[in-house]
Amino acid sequence: MTKTLRRLLLVLLTAGAGGCWAQTVAADGNVDLAAERARLKEERSVVDRRAKQEQVACYQKFAVEDCLRESRRQRRTLDDDLKRQEAAINDIDRKRRAAAQLERLDKAPPRPQDDPEKRQQSQQSQENREQRAAEHARTRAEAAAKSEANRRDFEAKQRSNAAEQAKAAKMRAEAPQERERYERKVEQAEEHRVARERRNAARSKPRSAPLPTPP
C-alpha cells in the first residue's frame, strides 16, 4: 500500500471512529453540507485511483492474490467509512429540512380550514358542489338517453319512408307491364267469347232438306 493511501485510510478511520465525525458535524449547525459532499466525492475519487494503482503494483509482487485480497479489504474499509459519512450528511440535511419546515409552520398564520366554523362551511360547500355535480351528471345522462331515443325513432321513420318510396317506385315501374297484361287478358277473353258464339251458332243452324231422288 502506498503512503498516500495509508494516510487517507488513517484520516478516514480516525474521523469515523466512534462516530466522532458525525457527532462533530451534527453539533456544528453551520457546517457546509455541499462542501462536505464535494469533499467525499474527491476522497472517493482518490480511493478509486489509488486502488487501481495498488492493483497494478500487486501484479508485480510474488504473492499476487494475497496482495489483491489485502488491497480489496482496505478498499472496502475506506468505502464503508465514506458511506457512513455520506449517510450522516444526508441525515443532517433531512433534519435541517424538517426543522425549517416546522419553523415555517410555526410562523405561518392559521389556515381557514383550521377554524371549526370555516371547516364546516368548507365541508358544506364541498357537499353542495358534489350534489350539483351529481345532478348535472344525471341531467346529462337523461339528455343523452332522450337524444338516443330520438335518433332511433328518426332512423326508424327514415327506414319506413325509404321502404314506402321503394314500393311506390316498384309499382310505378311495373304499372305499364300490368296494364299490358290486363289488356291482353281482355283481348283473349273477347276472342274466346266470339269463338264460343260461333260454335254455338253452328250447332243451332237447321239442317238443309235432302235432294229429290232422280226418276
Side-chain angles (χ1 to χ4, degrees), residues 3 36 68 80 83 101 107-108 110 112 121 125 135 144-147 150 155 168-170 179 202 205 209 215:
K3 293 181 179 180
E36 290 297 324
L68 290 176
D80 291 344
K83 290 178 181 178
Q101 179 66 17
K107 294 180 179 180
Q121 293 176 356
S125 299
E135 292 176 354
K146 184 177 180 180
S147 177
N150 292 337
E155 291 179 353
K170 182 179 180 181
R179 185 166 53 253
K205 184 178 180 180

Side-chain angles (χ1 to χ4, degrees), residues 123-142:
Q123 183 177 359
Q124 184 63 40
S125 299
Q126 178 66 21
E127 292 177 356
N128 293 338
R129 286 193 296 270
E130 292 176 356
Q131 183 177 0
R132 288 195 299 270
E135 292 176 354
H136 187 53
R138 184 171 59 255
T139 301
R140 288 200 307 270
E142 292 175 353

Side-chain angles (χ1 to χ4, degrees), residues 10-215:
L10 180 61
V11 170
L12 293 177
L13 291 177
T14 303
C20 294
W21 180 89
Q23 294 176 3
T24 302
V25 173
D28 187 0
N30 297 323
V31 66
D32 189 346
L33 297 183
E36 290 297 324
R37 288 193 173 98
R39 177 185 61 79
L40 290 178
K41 183 178 180 181
E42 178 62 25
E43 290 181 0
R44 184 171 284 109
S45 298
V46 172
V47 170
D48 292 339
R49 186 167 57 252
R50 295 302 181 184
K52 292 179 181 178
Q53 294 175 357
E54 287 289 334
Q55 185 178 12
V56 173
C58 285
Y59 283 106
Q60 306 300 323
K61 297 181 180 181
F62 178 76
V64 176
E65 292 299 327
D66 293 340
C67 180
L68 290 176
R69 278 195 297 271
E70 178 64 18
S71 177
R72 285 193 290 267
R73 185 188 65 79
Q74 294 173 355
R75 168 72 180 275
R76 285 194 298 270
T77 301
L78 294 172
D79 285 339
D80 291 344
D81 192 76
L82 290 174
K83 290 178 181 178
R84 282 193 295 270
Q85 294 186 52
E86 186 176 16
I89 290 175
N90 293 336
D91 184 62
I92 294 171
D93 191 17
R94 285 193 297 270
K95 290 179 179 179
R96 285 185 179 180
R97 292 177 184 274
Q101 179 66 17
L102 290 175
E103 185 177 0
R104 285 194 297 270
L105 292 176
D106 291 339
K107 294 180 179 180
R111 298 175 299 175
Q113 56 268 33
D114 294 335
D115 186 350
E117 182 178 356
K118 292 184 178 180
R119 184 168 58 250
Q120 184 177 1
Q121 293 176 356
S122 177
Q123 183 177 359
Q124 184 63 40
S125 299
Q126 178 66 21
E127 292 177 356
N128 293 338
R129 286 193 296 270
E130 292 176 356
Q131 183 177 0
R132 288 195 299 270
E135 292 176 354
H136 187 53
R138 184 171 59 255
T139 301
R140 288 200 307 270
E142 292 175 353
K146 184 177 180 180
S147 177
E148 179 64 18
N150 292 337
R151 185 186 63 81
R152 288 196 298 267
D153 292 342
F154 176 76
E155 291 179 353
K157 291 179 181 179
Q158 289 290 97
R159 289 192 297 269
S160 178
N161 292 336
E164 291 179 358
Q165 292 176 2
K167 183 178 180 181
K170 182 179 180 181
M171 292 178 63
R172 287 194 300 269
E174 294 177 351
Q177 299 176 359
E178 291 294 330
R179 185 166 53 253
E180 183 179 354
R181 283 196 294 269
Y182 174 75
E183 292 176 354
R184 187 164 55 251
K185 288 181 180 180
V186 171
E187 183 179 353
Q188 291 175 353
E190 181 65 17
E191 291 176 354
H192 291 163
R193 185 185 65 78
V194 172
R196 186 172 58 254
E197 289 179 352
R198 288 177 180 176
R199 288 194 298 271
N200 292 336
R203 292 193 192 99
S204 60
K205 184 178 180 180
R207 296 181 179 180
S208 58
L211 294 175
T213 303

